[in-house]
Amino acid sequence: MVNGKMTEGTVKLKVISNQLSDGGKRFHSHSELTARYYYQNDVLTYIYREPKMGNTQTVLRVEKEGVRLTRQGEVEHELFFAQDKVWEARYITPYGSFPVWLKATEVLVTLTGVVGNIKLKYELSAGGGEAVEFEVNIEIEGV
């Protein structure tokens, strides 16, 4: 925030996601996206669209207590990543909805202004199934 006003602009996100199984990588994805950012009241918000999510807007909020990921559109859900906390939600898709829970085992936010890195490690269970481990690394760069 500069002089009490909201700041906003554009950044580039590099999102690397790994789904882990028995200590090894099972699924890997990499995306490079353009995001709008807004900073106001000590909350940094990035808004972008992910190519594999159809007509869905993703909002990533860096808050004092953790990192909140909200999707609205064809896919809808809200996940909150806070160290060693469990979060329960519903995941809604065009094909139906189901319960999910996650437990963040690592939440590391290293930002200088609006650029830097967000690293999330967590266990996720969907529809009552066995929990799977994920690692997500988000590199944020200026454009």
Side-chain angles (χ1 to χ4, degrees):
M1 212 145 112
V2 179
N3 297 327
K5 295 182 181 178
M6 179 175 70
T7 58
E8 60 182 284
T10 303
V11 291
K12 182 178 286 187
L13 305 180
K14 292 181 183 177
V15 181
I16 299 168
S17 177
N18 292 299
Q19 179 179 331
L20 308 175
S21 175
D22 298 326
K25 294 178 183 173
R26 187 169 69 182
F27 176 76
H28 172 85
S29 69
H30 177 253
S31 300
E32 294 193 20
L33 312 160
T34 300
R36 295 285 304 155
Y37 73 82
Y38 302 89
Y39 181 78
Q40 186 173 29
N41 300 327
D42 295 327
V43 176
L44 180 56
T45 303
Y46 302 95
I47 301 173
Y48 55 97
R49 293 195 181 276
E50 296 172 83
K52 295 179 182 176
M53 291 289 170
N55 188 23
T56 300
Q57 177 176 274
T58 302
V59 178
L60 183 69
R61 293 172 53 104
V62 179
E63 304 173 4
K64 190 178 210 177
E65 301 82 19
V67 176
R68 186 176 311 273
L69 178 79
T70 306
R71 291 187 174 112
Q72 293 180 312
E74 286 182 42
V75 173
E76 294 193 8
H77 67 97
E78 179 179 77
L79 302 175
F80 188 69
F81 303 87
Q83 189 76 37
D84 297 321
K85 302 286 185 193
V86 174
W87 178 262
E88 296 183 34
R90 290 211 61 82
Y91 196 98
I92 302 167
T93 74
Y95 312 105
S97 70
F98 48 88
V100 297
W101 66 260
L102 74 80
K103 180 180 180 185
T105 55
E106 183 176 357
V107 179
L108 183 60
V109 178
T110 310
L111 298 174
T112 302
V114 299
V115 298
N117 187 271
I118 299 171
K119 184 176 183 180
L120 305 170
K121 286 186 179 181
Y122 57 98
E123 297 173 0
L124 177 84
S125 171
E130 184 176 331
V132 176
E133 291 181 65
F134 288 87
E135 269 181 10
V136 177
N137 189 56
I138 304 169
E139 295 178 26
I140 306 153
E141 303 173 347
V143 290

